[in-house]
Amino acid sequence: QSALTQPASVSGSPGQSITISCTGTSSDVGSYNLVSWYQQHPGKAPELMIYDVSKRPSGVSNRFSGSKSGNTASLTISGLQAEDEADYYCCSYAGSSTSVVFGGGTKLTVL
Amino acid sequence: VQLVQSGAEVKKPGESLRISCKVSEYSFTNYWITWVRQMPGKGLEWMGRLDPSDSYTNYSPSFQGHVTISADKSISTAYLQWSSLRASDTAMYYCARHGDDYHFDYWGQGTLVTVSS
């Protein structure tokens, strides 16, 4: 199964907003509202930021939001802060045989 | 909720290995355990998952036949094992738990496996 497609890198200045896209197919992102997003700082384990396309776990800042249109999901981070600099991965359920597929990851740089 | 993984391993090609993921502060049988690979400088790859209540497993086609996921309910521990390691298995391996909606809400700290002759 192919990984979901994310841009390799995005950047923004403090206070700005950025959006990271995650493009899949009608077999994964397009068929299920089971898209999640993970933040990973260097040397650390991933952390759940968004699940079920747009839900935020308790404790995650409301500066993080998620959406989906067709086969593409998006993560938006508003009011960028230095601590947001990290790698971000999307993930989708892909049916009973494949189960789960991750995106290739996006490196966010806060300028 | 905690998922605590076993320590780093250094192995030679062809050797066997089993790494572990011990969970606490929740009922082990109420959530799936998934394993995720991250090769050096690369992204996350889903390897497979296990239902601790009945040890049902399913694997990514990319990993089917090369790794085995198992669990011991009596000690709330999941395992990832290889019977014959390759140099290309060098990576960080994470365990994570999830429910039926497939989002990974708690992760282990990772186990670094290095395979080198």
Side-chain angles (χ1 to χ4, degrees):
Chain A
Q1 73 287 15
S2 300
L4 306 176
T5 300
Q6 299 180 231
S9 63
V10 298
S11 62
S13 299
Q16 288 186 330
S17 294
I18 62 95
T19 296
I20 300 171
S21 62
C22 169
T23 301
T25 70
S26 58
S27 297
D28 39 63
V29 174
S31 286
Y32 308 98
N33 289 323
L34 296 175
V35 176
S36 50
W37 289 89
Y38 302 87
Q39 177 191 68
Q40 186 180 35
H41 286 108
K44 300 295 186 183
E47 179 183 353
L48 177 68
M49 305 304 285
I50 294 288
Y51 68 99
D52 294 354
V53 174
S54 59
K55 296 177 181 176
R56 260 190 324 276
S58 173
V60 171
S61 171
N62 59 9
R63 297 185 299 104
F64 292 83
S65 62
S67 62
K68 190 186 88 167
S69 178
N71 296 337
T72 299
S74 299
L75 172 71
T76 298
I77 308 173
S78 59
L80 270 179
Q81 299 179 1
E83 68 208 48
D84 300 331
E85 187 163 291
D87 294 325
Y88 291 85
Y89 295 91
C90 63
C91 179
S92 176
Y93 179 65
S96 57
S97 58
T98 306
S99 287
V100 173
V101 61
F102 280 100
T106 298
K107 181 175 182 58
L108 169 61
T109 300
V110 179
L111 302 170
Chain B
V1 174
Q2 286 196 330
L3 286 74
V4 178
Q5 297 184 228
S6 49
E9 302 273 3
V10 179
K11 292 289 189 179
K12 291 179 167 35
E15 291 186 332
S16 63
L17 175 65
R18 189 178 76 169
I19 62 176
S20 66
C21 171
K22 181 171 177 60
V23 314
S24 60
E25 305 302 325
Y26 77 92
S27 177
F28 184 51
T29 56
N30 283 357
Y31 292 84
W32 294 75
I33 292 288
T34 244
W35 287 93
V36 174
R37 182 176 79 175
Q38 188 168 37
M39 299 177 76
K42 302 297 184 183
L44 305 175
E45 300 173 89
W46 184 77
M47 301 177 70
R49 63 179 186 145
L50 171 139
D51 180 349
S53 67
D54 61 6
S55 290
Y56 171 82
T57 54
N58 72 298
Y59 297 89
S60 162
S62 299
F63 294 93
Q64 179 85 46
H66 184 52
V67 298
T68 301
I69 298 172
S70 60
D72 184 338
K73 284 192 293 187
S74 69
I75 55 173
S76 299
T77 299
Y79 302 100
L80 177 65
Q81 67 182 68
W82 297 258
S83 58
S84 182
L85 287 159
R86 311 163 182 161
S88 58
D89 293 318
T90 294
M92 182 71 81
Y93 293 88
Y94 293 100
C95 63
R97 79 165 197 181
H98 68 92
D100 290 338
D101 49 5
Y102 293 90
H103 66 263
F104 311 114
D105 58 353
Y106 288 92
W107 294 67
Q109 83 277 20
T111 296
L112 180 62
V113 174
T114 303
V115 184
S116 174
S117 55

